[in-house]
Amino acid sequence: MRIKKFFITILMSCFIFPCQAFEIVATVNDEVISDYDVSARIRMMEVLMKIPPEVAQSNEMRQRVLNTLIDEQIKIQEAVALNIELAEAEIAHGISYLEEQNQMPEGSLRKLFKENQVDFNTLERQIKADLGWLKVLRVKNEKPPVVTEDEISKEQKKLEKEVIQPAYLIAEIYIPFGKDKGKSQEKVNELFNQVVAGSSFPELAMENSKGETALSGGDLGWVRPGQMEKAVDNILPYMRAGQLSKPIEGEKGYYLILMREQQKELTSTDVEAWTVSQLLISKDKLVPIMTEIQKNPDCKTFNILAEKEGLKGSGIMPDMVVARMPDQLYQALKDISVGKITGPIDGNDFYLFLMKCDSKIISVLPDKELIKTRLEMVKMEEISNEMLKNLRQNALIEKR
């Protein structure tokens, strides 16, 4: 019956849009996933994640997207089996949440999809699967996973050592040796020269990297000593923010590493922190802003001014660890007292004013309640993965 309904939908669509072939590429417990579904999701990824077409249209990407759609279909089916329903308002809220998280005006996602001819149903399907699965997890696991005091204590001791270590925000391009190590070396050298010449590192990573981070432009997030293989780990302390490494020979392939940001080593978990408000303005607004600043506003007034008149990025920056501040920011603030303003600082296309709002001692170690919550989330993710694995094994899945 479900398959019949699918074909009726296709036939009816021919009266609205130019009729095209919808090839079935997989079935999940008699429900179909079509080539159109895969293409629509890939097109969405191209627009939202800015994935180059040659990467998005690769066979590897199509298989990855198909596997994602299969998992989503399993999640949706399990929600239906448990009589879990989602109201239209819940899906709309999910869309609004995505817009809010990405600092997009309300309604802009639907507009973006329309402008780029992306089927909005593919986003709604993804949100429906995710929200429905959350409800499935709640139904099958009424109480949160048990986290013991001993587990919290062990995690706290582990974090006490980790949080004071230096950290590096890095991105990678990974080229495995393969059958011809010489060709791999030529390839990584070629990519190095392209980045040096001005090519986009994220785009080159998407197009060429064979690592798991390729889809995210090579983004590895924050790493600490010992988390990367030795050849990469050894070079990180000697790199500067914004610097590109020369090709690094690892155990099974070559790496290019882009150092995006760094956090310095701390001597203690209790550190000095400043609350800072910043105001970025276009250069034509300098005179009226200077008039307001000369009134010696307090932090609250200055922050209201920053949010009202400032460019994107203006506003409060709470609890900035002094020892890990970017050098330029530290130099601009180190000699001014709390409640004072420094600036204008020339930023080429804008001027920057900074106010030091507060100075205090904080702990960089999460409190016990937060550690407990994080451990619960880890355990819940393990439960989720195991449930999905079992459902996948018991499902009748056929790829065509």
Side-chain angles (χ1 to χ4, degrees):
M1 176 63 87
R2 287 170 180 165
I3 294 177
K4 287 180 181 178
K5 284 183 180 178
F6 175 79
F7 284 113
I8 290 170
T9 302
I10 292 174
L11 290 171
M12 290 184 67
S13 71
C14 295
F15 290 100
I16 305 170
F17 302 105
C19 200
Q20 51 185 307
F22 287 82
E23 180 184 353
I24 297 173
V25 292
T27 58
V28 183
N29 296 325
D30 87 359
E31 291 189 331
V32 301
I33 297 173
S34 72
D35 182 69
Y36 174 82
D37 296 326
V38 176
S39 297
R41 181 61 60 88
I42 288 174
R43 180 60 185 147
M44 181 180 85
M45 294 168 68
E46 280 185 294
V47 171
L48 293 182
M49 300 173 65
K50 297 182 171 57
I51 297 177
E54 54 270 32
V55 177
Q57 299 302 329
S58 66
N59 288 331
E60 181 183 357
M61 176 64 77
R62 295 191 75 83
Q63 283 303 310
R64 191 176 296 184
V65 168
L66 176 57
N67 289 334
T68 298
L69 292 175
I70 288 171
D71 283 349
E72 286 180 5
Q73 194 63 49
I74 290 171
K75 290 176 179 179
I76 291 170
Q77 288 174 355
E78 184 65 7
V80 171
L82 293 173
N83 295 316
I84 292 171
E85 296 183 358
L86 287 173
E88 289 295 324
E90 291 177 282
I91 296 173
H93 179 74
I95 294 167
S96 297
Y97 178 77
L98 281 178
E99 290 172 333
E100 183 181 327
Q101 290 297 107
N102 290 278
Q103 299 181 327
M104 301 170 71
E106 188 173 349
S108 56
L109 271 175
R110 193 175 291 275
K111 181 181 178 184
L112 180 67
F113 275 47
K114 185 176 181 180
E115 288 173 349
N116 290 275
Q117 297 182 321
V118 183
D119 188 344
F120 200 71
N121 286 332
T122 193
L123 177 61
E124 291 180 325
R125 173 200 168 102
Q126 182 179 338
I127 291 172
K128 181 180 179 182
D130 290 342
L131 293 180
W133 186 244
L134 282 174
K135 291 191 175 187
V136 168
L137 291 172
R138 291 193 191 109
V139 168
K140 291 198 168 184
N141 303 275
E142 294 180 2
K143 296 180 180 179
V146 176
V147 176
T148 66
E149 284 296 321
D150 186 51
E151 287 174 317
I152 295 172
S153 179
K154 285 180 180 178
E155 184 68 13
Q156 193 171 32
K157 288 176 181 177
K158 177 187 168 189
L159 288 172
E160 282 175 357
K161 295 177 181 178
E162 285 185 357
V163 295
I164 63 173
Q165 289 181 328
Y168 311 98
L169 184 61
I170 62 176
E172 67 170 355
I173 293 176
Y174 177 66
I175 306 296
F177 294 146
K179 294 180 180 179
D180 191 334
K181 186 176 178 181
K183 281 190 177 180
S184 297
Q185 187 174 26
E186 288 177 10
K187 180 65 175 179
V188 77
N189 285 335
E190 176 190 333
L191 292 170
F192 173 81
N193 291 329
Q194 288 180 7
V195 178
V196 170
S199 295
S200 165
F201 188 98
E203 287 187 12
L204 288 177
M206 286 183 184
E207 293 170 13
N208 300 280
S209 181
K210 301 304 179 183
E212 294 180 359
T213 61
L215 273 183
S216 59
D219 181 23
L220 272 161
W222 287 99
V223 300
R224 298 187 184 278
Q227 292 182 333
M228 300 293 294
E229 70 168 278
K230 191 172 180 181
V232 177
D233 204 46
N234 287 344
I235 201 170
L236 295 180
Y238 303 100
M239 294 183 69
R240 302 182 309 275
Q243 185 179 5
L244 174 71
S245 74
K246 291 183 178 179
I248 303 167
E249 183 174 338
E251 294 177 3
K252 297 180 180 180
Y254 292 103
Y255 293 88
L256 284 180
I257 299 294
L258 178 65
M259 179 66 71
R260 295 164 59 199
E261 291 182 40
Q262 294 168 294
Q263 289 184 346
K264 298 172 186 175
E265 186 174 8
L266 302 175
T267 56
S268 169
T269 57
D270 292 328
V271 296
E272 183 182 7
W274 295 339
T275 299
V276 178
S277 185
Q278 65 177 4
L279 167 60
L280 298 90
I281 59 160
S282 55
K283 293 199 167 182
D284 60 330
K285 285 191 174 182
L286 179 61
V287 173
I289 291 296
M290 284 294 295
T291 302
E292 292 299 318
I293 287 174
Q294 286 169 357
K295 297 177 183 177
N296 297 316
D298 58 22
C299 187
K300 182 179 179 181
T301 306
F302 181 84
N303 198 47
I304 291 171
L305 180 66
E307 292 177 351
K308 181 180 178 183
E309 302 291 345
L311 300 171
K312 186 177 179 180
S314 297
I316 204 78
M317 298 182 290
D319 294 348
M320 299 187 72
V321 177
V322 176
R324 286 179 167 170
M325 272 183 161
D327 288 338
Q328 286 183 318
L329 183 59
Y330 173 73
Q331 292 299 327
L333 290 165
K334 68 183 181 72
D335 294 325
I336 68 169
S337 56
V338 171
K340 298 299 181 183
I341 300 170
T342 183
I345 300 168
D346 195 339
N348 294 326
D349 296 331
F350 60 87
Y351 282 120
L352 170 66
F353 291 89
L354 297 164
M355 172 180 267
K356 187 188 291 184
C357 293
D358 192 15
S359 176
K360 57 188 174 183
I361 301 298
I362 65 167
S363 174
V364 292
L365 191 65
D367 61 34
K368 280 191 173 184
E369 199 58 38
L370 183 56
I371 292 174
K372 180 184 177 184
T373 301
R374 288 179 179 177
L375 290 174
E376 286 175 348
M377 289 175 66
V378 169
K379 289 192 174 188
M380 203 67 212
E381 187 174 358
E382 290 171 355
I383 292 170
S384 171
N385 291 338
E386 188 63 25
M387 281 176 55
L388 185 58
K389 178 183 174 182
N390 290 335
L391 288 169
R392 199 185 293 122
Q393 288 174 343
N394 294 323
L396 184 60
I397 301 171
E398 181 185 352
K399 291 185 181 179
R400 301 183 181 182

